[in-house]
Amino acid sequence: SARAKGRHRHCDSQGRISRKNLTEYVEINSAGGNFRTYFTNYTINVSKPGYVNQTRSINLTSSRFEIFTLSPPSNITGCNTIVASGVYVLTNNLTSTGTCITISADNVMLDGSGFTINYSYISTGYAVQIDQGKKNVTIKNLKIVGGFSETSSGIFVNAGQNISIFNNSIRA
């Protein structure tokens, strides 16, 4: 069984999601004693609002358990570098003389919660920098103010893949 923090419509009173059984189809020909087993690839997606979804593809060629753990969001209270996948939520306004937040991991959601990052007011930098080649990064609900020079940018993406940036306001 899986655990989910808090109450959810599919959870029991202890936050557990009931176990789901997947059964493969087996055809038995009783006259000839032959049988065929059909194994199907399944894609299982576990999600909860505000958490990073987990998706796995499995083939049920044997009995086994798959455990999915969804971690709660991490609060960001100051400028820093994000080095692990997960959901990160600003809890206050941030100010930086250069770059404020650097994302150095795949599978990151940064939720500004309507707070402001005032960046690069002394030297060149970015409110949010996504390091080279990062994948599956979302930046949302952020107010960005600042920019010291023409080379400063509110959000800088260095050759990323599947980057979503929405519901943000950026002004110099």
Side-chain angles (χ1 to χ4, degrees), residues 37-95:
T37 304
Y38 300 92
F39 296 107
T40 305
N41 289 321
Y42 289 91
T43 300
I44 300 173
N45 182 24
V46 179
S47 63
K48 183 176 179 181
Y51 290 66
V52 174
N53 297 348
Q54 280 198 25
T55 301
R56 287 190 207 143
S57 294
I58 63 170
N59 187 301
L60 299 177
T61 55
S62 63
S63 294
R64 69 176 190 236
F65 289 97
E66 291 287 328
I67 297 174
F68 294 83
T69 303
L70 300 179
S71 299
S74 298
N75 292 335
I76 293 183
T77 58
C79 295
N80 60 40
T81 298
I82 296 172
V83 296
S85 62
V87 176
Y88 296 84
V89 179
L90 261 65
T91 58
N92 54 278
N93 295 325
L94 304 178
T95 300

Side-chain angles (χ1 to χ4, degrees), residues 158-171:
N158 189 357
Q161 296 176 4
N162 194 26
I163 308 297
S164 299
I165 300 171
F166 62 93
N167 199 32
N168 300 288
S169 66
I170 302 173
R171 69 181 167 93

Side-chain angles (χ1 to χ4, degrees), residues 1-19:
S1 69
R3 290 184 186 260
K5 193 169 186 172
R7 299 294 298 227
H8 190 266
R9 66 185 177 101
H10 299 292
C11 293
D12 65 16
S13 62
Q14 296 168 336
R16 293 189 182 118
I17 300 170
S18 62
R19 182 171 40 183

Side-chain angles (χ1 to χ4, degrees), residues 23-30 32-40:
T23 306
E24 291 292 348
Y25 172 73
V26 178
E27 178 183 350
I28 300 173
N29 180 342
S30 58
N34 297 326
F35 67 93
R36 289 187 285 180
T37 304
Y38 300 92
F39 296 107
T40 305

Side-chain angles (χ1 to χ4, degrees), residues 90-111:
L90 261 65
T91 58
N92 54 278
N93 295 325
L94 304 178
T95 300
S96 175
T97 59
T99 297
C100 186
I101 295 176
T102 300
I103 298 175
S104 295
D106 295 331
N107 305 311
V108 170
M109 177 188 295
L110 175 61
D111 186 345

